[in-house]
Amino acid sequence: MKRVVLFILVFAAYSLQAQTAKSLFYLGADSSRFILTEAGAAYLAALPLRCIQQEYPNKINHVAVSDSDQLQTPKSLHPAFFGCFDWHSTVHGHWMLMALLKLFPNLPKATLIRKKINKNITPEHIAKEAAYFNAPLSKSFERTYGWAWLLQLQKELLQWQDADAIRWRNSLQPLCDTIVHLWMQFLPKQTYPNRTGVHPNTAFGMVLALDYARATHNPGFEKALVQSAKQLFLNDTNAPAVWEPDGTDFLSPSLEEADLMRRVLSKPQFLQWFNRFYTKAGLQHLTILPVVSDRNDLTIVHLDGLALSRSWCMQGIAKQLPDTDARKKLLQRAAIAHLNTSLPHVASGSYGGEHWLASFVVYALLQ
C-alpha cells in the first residue's frame, strides 16, 4: 500500500514560535499534501500585507544613465512593485496574497488586501513597469528570479475566476508578455546555467516559467524552455551536493535542478537521470538541516528560505520516485524536517526575513 502523509497546518493569531511548540502539524496517512487553515492564511498574509506599500528600506537594483536618473525613488521607478525591500519580493508578496485570497476569500483582511492590490496593479503602473524592462540597460533586470515570480503571479490570477483577479490579470498581461519575449531572446544565448543558490539560479526560474507556459498553453515558450533545460542539464552527473549550502543560499542548486528535470522528463527518464545525478552520500548530505546563526543578518537569514525551498523540491522529487525506492521516504522525511525547522522563524521580528519568507512557506504548502 502506498505510504502517504497528511500534514495539517494549524496557525493561531499568537506567536508562531509558541504554537510550533504545541505541534503545528497533524500526521496522518491520507494524502501527501499540506492543508493550510484560514487562521494560518491570515497569519501569513499579514506579513506581505504590511510591506507591499512600504517603500523603505529598499534595495534598489537600478542602472543609472544620468545624474538625474540616480535621484529616482523606488516608487517612481516601479509604481506597482516598489515595496517589501526589493522588486521581486514585492512581486511574490502579491502572488502570495492572491493565492491565499483565492483559497480563503473570507480572510479577515480580504477587503484591505484587495484595496492595496487595486492601488498597485493598474494599467498605468504596469505600463511603466513594462517600459522599464524595455530600456536598453534594463533588459536583464531581475533575470530570471523576478521574471519567474511575475509569471507565477499571473498564473495564479489566470486560474482564479474573480472580478478583481480578472482586472488584475488584464492589467498585468502586457508586462508578462514583455517578460516572455525577453526570456525567449535569452534562452538561445544562455550557453551555461547559473548554478547558484541565490536569485540568478537558472533551474528555479525555468521551473516557474515552465509552469506558466503550460498553464497558458504557450507551446512555443514551453518548447524553448524544455529544449534549454535538456541542453543545460541533461548530461549532468555526480552533482557536488556535499558542497551545499553556501552561506547565503535560499535555493539548493542541485535540488532545484532535479525539480526542473522532473518536469521535462518522463518518470522512467527522470529516474535514470536522477540515478546518475546524485550519489548516495550527496543526497544524504542534503537532509542535514541548515543552521541559521543570525536571523537579523539580511543574507544569513536566507538559510531559512533554503530549508523551505529544499522542502518543496524534496516533496516534488519524491513523487517521481517508485514507492520501493528508499530515497522516496528519505526525501519525504527530510521535507517534513526542513519545513518544521523554519516555520517558527517566519515572523522573527526582523524585516530581513519577514519581507519575503512567508511567500516561501505558502509556495511550499501549495506544492
Side-chain angles (χ1 to χ4, degrees):
M1 181 183 222
K2 183 177 180 181
R3 286 178 59 99
V4 289
V5 186
L6 173 66
F7 307 91
I8 300 181
L9 183 59
V10 284
F11 279 104
Y14 51 89
S15 166
L16 184 59
Q17 189 159 5
Q19 181 71 349
T20 302
K22 297 182 179 181
S23 258
L24 283 174
F25 301 103
Y26 173 80
L27 184 62
D30 180 55
S31 172
S32 57
R33 62 193 177 100
F34 296 97
I35 298 176
L36 180 64
T37 68
E38 185 170 300
Y43 186 97
L44 291 171
L47 297 176
L49 187 59
R50 286 201 298 264
C51 73
I52 61 170
Q53 290 179 345
Q54 179 180 328
E55 192 169 5
Y56 298 103
N58 202 298
K59 184 181 180 184
I60 302 173
N61 182 12
H62 174 64
V63 178
V65 296
S66 67
D67 287 347
S68 61
D69 194 27
Q70 291 180 329
L71 301 177
Q72 294 194 64
T73 66
K75 192 173 182 179
S76 65
L77 289 167
H78 301 290
F81 304 119
F82 60 86
C84 292
F85 194 70
D86 48 45
W87 193 88
H88 50 261
S89 297
T90 318
V91 171
H92 63 64
H94 280 74
W95 163 78
M96 176 190 149
L97 289 171
M98 294 177 189
L100 293 179
L101 197 57
K102 178 180 167 185
L103 283 172
F104 303 102
N106 297 315
L107 279 176
K109 294 188 177 180
T111 300
L112 181 60
I113 292 172
R114 290 177 184 272
K115 180 181 178 181
K116 289 198 172 188
I117 295 176
N118 275 328
K119 189 173 182 180
N120 287 2
I121 298 181
T122 68
E124 297 77 18
H125 288 171
I126 297 304
K128 189 166 183 180
E129 295 279 3
Y132 186 90
F133 280 93
N134 285 321
L137 297 181
S138 298
K139 294 185 183 297
S140 62
F141 176 70
E142 290 287 349
R143 188 176 73 191
T144 57
Y145 185 75
W147 294 6
W149 277 115
L150 182 79
L151 298 187
Q152 177 71 11
L153 166 57
Q154 185 71 332
K155 172 177 167 283
E156 198 69 45
L157 291 173
L158 289 166
Q159 296 172 340
W160 186 18
Q161 296 310 309
D162 172 90
D164 281 338
I166 292 169
R167 185 172 64 258
W168 296 330
R169 74 194 189 204
N170 288 341
S171 297
L172 272 177
Q173 195 58 54
L175 179 56
C176 294
D177 292 342
T178 297
I179 294 302
V180 170
H181 178 69
L182 289 172
W183 220 319
M184 289 288 284
Q185 289 182 321
F186 177 61
L187 287 171
K189 59 186 180 183
Q190 188 175 15
T191 308
Y192 310 105
N194 289 313
R195 303 180 189 276
T196 177
V198 289
H199 307 89
N201 182 280
T202 295
F204 173 78
M206 292 179 76
V207 162
L208 296 193
L210 189 57
D211 288 349
Y212 173 84
R214 288 170 173 168
T216 56
H217 309 289
N218 186 333
F221 191 32
E222 178 184 0
K223 182 179 179 181
L225 288 162
V226 170
Q227 287 180 340
S228 183
K230 290 181 177 179
Q231 175 188 330
L232 295 172
F233 299 118
L234 187 60
N235 294 322
D236 285 358
T237 59
N238 298 319
V242 294
W243 292 358
E244 299 183 31
D246 280 349
T248 60
D249 281 358
F250 59 83
L251 301 169
S252 160
S254 64
L255 286 172
E256 291 296 340
E257 181 175 338
D259 196 37
L260 172 64
M261 296 309 285
R262 74 177 178 89
R263 287 168 163 82
V264 303
L265 300 174
S266 67
K267 278 192 176 184
Q269 290 172 332
F270 175 73
L271 185 59
Q272 291 178 357
W273 178 89
F274 192 71
N275 289 340
R276 298 192 304 268
F277 186 62
Y278 275 119
T279 64
K280 183 178 179 180
L283 195 61
Q284 184 70 48
H285 176 79
L286 293 176
T287 67
I288 301 172
L289 298 173
V291 175
V292 187
S293 61
D294 183 0
R295 289 186 167 85
N296 292 310
D297 187 290
L298 292 176
T299 55
I300 292 176
V301 75
H302 279 183
L303 293 163
D304 271 323
L306 174 65
L308 297 168
S309 64
R310 277 185 178 182
S311 180
W312 75 57
C313 287
M314 289 172 174
Q315 287 281 14
I317 294 164
K319 293 176 184 177
Q320 298 299 101
L321 300 178
D323 293 342
T324 55
D325 192 325
R327 295 171 299 182
K328 186 183 190 80
K329 295 176 184 177
L330 175 74
L331 290 172
Q332 287 174 332
R333 287 194 297 266
I336 300 166
H338 276 76
L339 183 64
N340 198 41
T341 196
S342 283
L343 268 173
H345 306 291
V346 171
S348 64
S350 171
Y351 194 57
E354 287 191 349
H355 78 270
W356 66 281
L357 277 173
S359 296
F360 270 48
V361 172
V362 173
Y363 187 80
L365 294 174
L366 294 184
Q367 300 313 300

